[in-house]
Amino acid sequence: RSVANHHEPTPFSVCSRTSPHSETQTCCQRLLGFAAASRTTSCLHIQIHTTSTMSHIEELTDRLKLAERCYIRGDHERALQEAALSEKLAERLAMHNQQVLACVLQAFANLGLGKPEESDKFMAQIQFFLLKARDITDATKSKIHRVQAAILQKKQQVPEALAELAEDAYYCASAYGPLDPECCGCYMHMAQIFQTNNEPKRAAELLLKVAEIWRTYLFSVAQLDKVQEEEDERAGLDDVLGDKARVDLHTLHGNALAQESSELSANLTLAMVLLEICTGDSSLSSMKNLLAAALSLCDEVPSTKAVVDQANSVANFMASMDVQQQQAGVEQ
């Protein structure tokens, strides 16, 4: 062909002019370069998507936690708002368990606001989720039965409410263990129903169990055997459990049955001391007064050996705190 009719091949042309091997090799290198660039871009997109998803999951977790804390503290309006936002976020992330949990919190919040009919609507929505979702945890099922029991109690359907609480206790024990603080809400609710229906003995047994559970748990969290240098290693008390402990112990303290039972009062008083140690909300002198009250109650009941042993550990801990404060005062 003439020079005028000759044209250069495109980068992807498989024909060659001078060196077939060289041209093919160049084309392959370019193709590999495009493929590598494509893979890098895809990996970057996946990484960005994963980071965004993780960020949304963290936001969802925080919002659900805040909603629960607001409900426990009695701020039902804020709890309702945060739970509603959590439900929308969980739906977007296709996280059915968290979506159901958000609905449970909205049902609880509406009960707190005196709107049981709104709670019924959320329970119907939860039943729909349960039909199609297979990833609902036992912990969430426990809360479903707990709020259903509260709704039934509002309607004066006491046997049905107790049946729901029995299911609550089963699923909560399956998720955490029967002596975990998460089960205390169920036991407290049962005790309230028994006490209202003139069954004080059964109510007192459940309230004593609640006091013992909190005392045992808070003693393990306090880790009184840790020396001052190891304080940073303490796990500390979870915010939600801290709120639950304060509400449960305050409710127990105001219950007439607690005043009638020295064993219940001893467990309750020591649990209150341990809560103050875990949160650091009270002065050393006020904790000493509570501890003295717990020890005096233990003298009346032989069955409180565990309380006495833990109270002595607390007394030793407070004595070491006294020494540290005195040394700090001398150094200043």
Side-chain angles (χ1 to χ4, degrees):
R1 292 178 296 177
S2 66
V3 176
N5 293 329
H6 181 72
H7 66 277
E8 291 290 329
T10 64
F12 297 102
S13 174
V14 293
C15 66
S16 63
R17 288 175 288 111
T18 52
S19 175
H21 177 72
S22 174
E23 182 69 23
T24 303
Q25 189 177 35
T26 302
C27 290
C28 289
Q29 287 173 346
R30 288 174 177 170
L31 285 169
L32 289 171
F34 281 121
S38 177
R39 281 198 301 273
T40 303
T41 305
S42 298
C43 290
L44 182 60
H45 286 163
I46 291 169
Q47 186 176 4
I48 292 171
H49 177 73
T50 304
T51 304
S52 175
T53 302
M54 291 301 295
S55 175
H56 285 126
I57 291 173
E58 289 175 7
E59 180 188 351
L60 174 59
T61 303
D62 291 341
R63 284 195 180 279
L64 284 171
K65 188 174 182 179
L66 178 57
E68 188 170 9
R69 291 194 72 186
C70 289
Y71 172 74
I72 294 167
R73 294 181 172 188
D75 189 354
H76 300 129
E77 285 284 1
R78 180 74 187 279
L80 193 60
Q81 293 170 6
E82 293 296 333
L85 290 171
S86 299
E87 184 190 354
K88 291 178 182 177
L89 189 53
E91 183 179 11
R92 200 160 72 234
L93 293 168
M95 298 180 73
H96 300 123
N97 185 69
Q98 283 76 0
Q99 196 171 357
V100 170
L101 188 55
C103 289
V104 169
L105 288 169
Q106 288 176 88
F108 268 123
N110 275 297
L111 271 182
L113 292 168
K115 300 176 180 178
E117 65 284 352
E118 292 297 319
S119 297
D120 281 331
K121 292 178 184 178
F122 282 105
M123 293 310 297
Q125 190 174 341
I126 288 169
Q127 294 304 319
F128 173 74
F129 281 131
L130 291 176
L131 289 174
K132 68 175 185 177
R134 295 290 180 268
D135 57 345
I136 308 303
T137 65
D138 285 350
T140 299
K141 289 176 183 176
S142 162
K143 290 180 171 62
I144 293 170
H145 288 290
R146 194 170 303 181
V147 71
Q148 184 66 66
I151 293 170
L152 290 168
Q153 188 184 6
K154 287 278 186 183
K155 297 176 180 178
Q156 303 299 317
Q157 298 178 17
V158 175
E160 292 83 356
L162 285 172
E164 289 293 332
L165 287 172
E167 292 294 316
D168 173 13
Y170 170 79
Y171 283 112
C172 199
S174 174
Y176 303 104
L179 300 180
D180 190 90
E182 290 289 352
C183 296
C184 287
C186 174
Y187 301 148
M188 289 285 287
H189 197 166
M190 281 183 173
Q192 181 190 11
I193 291 177
F194 287 136
Q195 195 169 358
T196 304
N197 287 273
N198 297 316
E199 296 186 66
K201 186 176 180 179
R202 297 179 73 179
E205 289 173 355
L206 287 165
L207 295 178
L208 175 59
K209 177 180 283 192
V210 170
E212 288 175 338
I213 288 172
W214 278 121
R215 171 183 59 77
T216 303
Y217 176 76
L218 292 169
F219 185 79
S220 69
V221 172
Q223 299 184 56
L224 303 180
D225 55 334
K226 292 278 187 183
V227 297
Q228 185 69 24
E229 291 75 14
E230 296 174 313
E231 280 190 346
D232 292 340
E233 299 176 15
R234 293 179 183 174
L237 183 63
D238 176 78
D239 291 337
V240 175
L241 280 178
D243 289 341
K244 288 180 179 179
R246 195 167 295 284
V247 169
D248 284 354
L249 297 179
H250 178 76
T251 304
L252 279 173
H253 189 260
N255 194 301
L257 292 175
Q259 314 306 320
E260 298 170 7
S261 168
S262 296
E263 185 176 7
L264 173 54
S265 293
N267 279 275
L268 171 60
T269 307
L270 183 54
M272 292 171 68
V273 175
L274 290 164
L275 178 61
E276 301 308 324
I277 290 173
C278 290
T279 58
D281 290 341
S282 294
S283 65
L284 189 58
S285 59
S286 65
M287 287 191 284
K288 282 182 177 178
N289 293 334
L290 276 173
L291 182 62
L295 285 168
S296 65
L297 287 166
C298 290
D299 292 337
E300 304 173 21
V301 186
S303 62
T304 53
K305 183 179 182 305
V307 181
V308 174
D309 291 342
Q310 290 185 357
N312 288 331
S313 295
V314 173
N316 293 335
F317 174 76
M318 289 184 178
S320 68
M321 287 179 66
D322 266 336
V323 172
Q324 289 170 11
Q325 288 183 358
Q326 290 171 7
Q327 288 175 347
V330 169
E331 289 173 1
Q332 289 176 357

